[in-house]
Amino acid sequence: MNVARDEGPGLSLLVHRPGEDPTLLHTGLTSLEHGLPIGPETTFNVGSVAKQITAHLILLAARDNLLHLDQRAADLLPRLKISDITVADLVTHRSGIRDAESLLSLASFRDLDHYTADDLHTLAYRQDQRAVPEARFLYSNTNYLLLAEILETVYRSTLPDLARRNLFGPLGMDSTHFKNDPRQVIRGAASAYQATHHGWQRTEAPVTLPGPGSLWTTVGDLDRWLTHVHRGWQHPQQLPWQETVAYEPSDHEPYLYGPGLYADARPGRAAVFHYGHEQGFSAAAHMEASGLRVLCLSNNAGLSADHTTATVLRDLHKQPTQAPKEALVRAATLERTSNTAVRTQPTLDGCGQHTELGTFTCDLAPGSLRLTHSADALHLWRRGARDQLSPTGPGVYAGNGYILTVSSSTDQVDRFTLDLDRAPGLTYIRQ
């Protein structure tokens, strides 16, 4: 079902109640250039929602004795320097390996520069110790990049081929593909856009990563996948595949994390879910123990799939007899009307004259960073842009998604520590 015609990018939504046929709703355009509406065959990049697929392929490999979950990952990845990490640690984000994409963001790449999985592997293999204590959760896309490499090693096949052979084909997910080459054509693929003061702008960059963020699919195919997951959810008191992979506390209380899935294990609320954000696309896949499934895929950077999914779930729980179609229409309308304003990045003020503090490098990250000082603020220069850091404590400065700590006066900085959300503990030394 499509709602009123929308001239911008939009959403694909699905609700599937147990024992009922799924209800679908589509809004907006899949291609602004050609005026093509989003429909049931439109495929989206679902970002980190793909992690549950990659994790399940690892479980299948363990079932077939091609690997063991408690096996050292270095046995399968000879270049991995941190020797005590297991395959299960990678699956559950307990390896302590920093996120290579976050590290790469520190390099002097321009927005449209191309980087590859090999670039990220190189950064992953430069790490020689955990960034956090053993067994602590640190969400890192690098874990799943390495799991994809493990799969290709033990199966002697590419990730797209083995996923199609072992999962997508048997489940009838004919519109689902791992994309490992940015030149690859995906049938029915949506383009992603963001609103600017000058109109719509494409958001995709020429980057494709195996495993963590390169799965293209439809809401219908994701529903087939979650149907398969629910069949394996044998006992309502347990979470999917909990007997194989333990769910442990995650970065979002009170939720746990297991085989590529966040989970709510509280009595009466049992559910598994994951969200994804990738180059202007967003995705949300949510399933409850009862079998209720809500899926949302967006190609509009201003329309968040997880927010829309949360709205649908609230409506369905408040009014259990409400028709799913009504909940979908309401959620889509609310999300569109609350995101009509153009979002722009905040501008930095001039902050007066800058004092040069030096250029700094880190053994674990590519490129170099420049630091300047003005008034009571520090300014970190990376990728040709300046981030203003505000003081939050003695020697501690906060930026957009990271913390910078200096151990001496800002009049003379010889080194500092940079803690990114997914790549903490980076020591930079002045050159």
Side-chain angles (χ1 to χ4, degrees):
M1 175 183 73
N2 286 77
V3 296
R5 177 83 174 189
D6 192 335
E7 296 303 321
L11 302 164
S12 187
L13 290 150
L14 181 147
V15 167
H16 196 167
R17 279 175 165 164
E20 300 179 6
D21 292 332
T23 300
L24 289 87
L25 179 146
H26 313 287
T27 74
L29 302 177
T30 178
S31 169
L32 303 189
E33 292 87 340
H34 300 288
L36 299 175
I38 292 173
E41 302 305 317
T42 302
T43 58
F44 298 76
N45 186 336
V46 298
S48 290
V49 169
K51 285 184 169 66
Q52 57 199 283
I53 301 290
T54 304
H56 190 61
L57 290 170
I58 287 288
L59 299 187
L60 293 180
R63 181 201 65 186
D64 295 338
N65 292 316
L66 296 174
L67 55 83
H68 301 286
L69 294 176
D70 59 357
Q71 180 177 2
R72 295 188 328 147
D75 293 342
L76 302 165
L77 303 171
R79 290 189 290 165
L80 186 62
K81 295 179 181 178
I82 310 175
S83 61
D84 60 343
I85 292 172
T86 67
V87 175
D89 288 336
L90 296 174
V91 171
T92 58
H93 294 295
R94 277 173 168 71
S95 71
I97 296 178
R98 297 174 180 88
D99 182 70
E101 289 183 86
S102 297
L103 296 176
L104 200 63
S105 73
L106 299 170
S108 298
F109 277 86
R110 296 166 298 180
D111 285 346
L112 294 180
D113 282 348
H114 178 67
Y115 63 87
T116 68
D118 286 341
D119 295 321
L120 298 180
H121 279 121
T122 297
L123 290 175
Y125 292 133
R126 283 169 66 170
Q127 301 182 50
D128 57 5
Q129 59 185 353
R130 296 174 185 258
V132 295
E134 185 176 353
R136 181 178 295 181
F137 186 93
L138 176 65
Y139 190 99
S140 172
N141 289 314
T142 304
N143 291 317
Y144 278 73
L145 186 73
L146 296 178
L147 288 172
E149 186 176 2
I150 286 175
L151 287 168
E152 294 183 346
T153 298
V154 300
Y155 279 103
R156 299 174 183 260
S157 176
T158 66
L159 180 66
D161 284 345
L162 69 92
R164 183 172 57 251
R165 182 172 64 250
N166 292 348
L167 280 181
F168 303 154
L171 296 179
M173 299 170 63
D174 299 330
S175 297
T176 302
H177 310 274
F178 273 112
K179 182 177 179 180
N180 60 357
D181 186 331
R183 299 166 297 183
Q184 182 180 346
V185 174
I186 301 293
R187 184 178 178 85
S191 296
Y193 305 87
Q194 65 181 358
T196 73
H197 285 297
H198 307 289
W200 292 102
Q201 182 180 56
R202 279 178 173 262
T203 57
E204 295 100 319
V207 176
T208 301
L209 309 176
S214 62
L215 186 71
W216 291 75
T217 188
T218 65
V219 288
D221 272 13
L222 277 181
D223 185 43
R224 294 181 181 90
W225 160 248
L226 290 182
T227 298
H228 173 70
V229 175
H230 194 258
R231 289 195 190 107
W233 199 340
Q234 299 291 340
H235 307 289
Q237 292 77 23
Q238 285 190 323
L239 297 165
W241 301 300
Q242 188 172 7
E243 68 281 2
T244 304
V245 174
Y247 286 72
E248 300 287 352
S250 73
D251 51 348
H252 297 292
E253 294 184 0
Y255 304 125
L256 309 177
Y257 199 95
L261 289 164
Y262 283 96
D264 189 341
R266 290 175 292 176
R269 304 189 184 202
V272 291
F273 61 94
H274 214 299
Y275 306 139
H277 296 84
E278 188 76 21
Q279 299 186 33
F281 291 98
S282 64
H286 180 102
M287 181 173 65
E288 299 182 351
S290 66
L292 171 67
R293 302 185 282 285
V294 178
L295 297 156
C296 181
L297 307 178
S298 168
N299 68 331
N300 185 332
L303 301 180
S304 177
D306 48 328
H307 293 167
T308 304
T309 299
T311 300
V312 172
L313 287 166
R314 280 196 301 269
D315 277 5
L316 292 177
H317 290 155
K318 285 181 180 178
Q319 304 180 57
T321 60
Q322 177 183 207
K325 180 174 68 174
E326 295 176 13
L328 289 179
V329 171
R330 180 174 180 275
T333 302
L334 283 174
E335 189 68 10
R336 281 209 317 276
T337 56
S338 65
N339 287 277
T340 54
V342 174
R343 297 179 179 178
T344 59
Q345 294 295 321
T347 58
L348 297 170
D349 57 31
C351 294
Q353 185 175 0
H354 288 246
T355 300
E356 189 74 32
L357 296 176
T359 299
F360 301 76
T361 60
C362 173
D363 289 341
L364 299 175
S368 61
L369 300 177
R370 180 171 154 245
L371 200 63
T372 63
H373 184 219
S374 176
D376 63 346
L378 288 179
H379 304 270
L380 189 70
W381 300 77
R382 57 174 177 163
R383 303 183 67 174
R386 170 168 59 94
D387 292 341
Q388 180 176 318
L389 312 181
S390 302
T392 60
V396 180
Y397 296 80
N400 183 19
Y402 58 88
I403 300 293
L404 186 148
T405 305
V406 295
S407 57
S408 59
S409 166
T410 53
D411 294 333
Q412 174 68 41
V413 177
D414 293 322
R415 65 173 58 208
F416 61 81
T417 300
L418 200 62
D419 289 294
L420 281 72
D421 290 343
R422 297 180 179 177
L426 300 171
T427 299
Y428 276 81
I429 300 174
R430 187 156 61 90
Q431 298 303 293

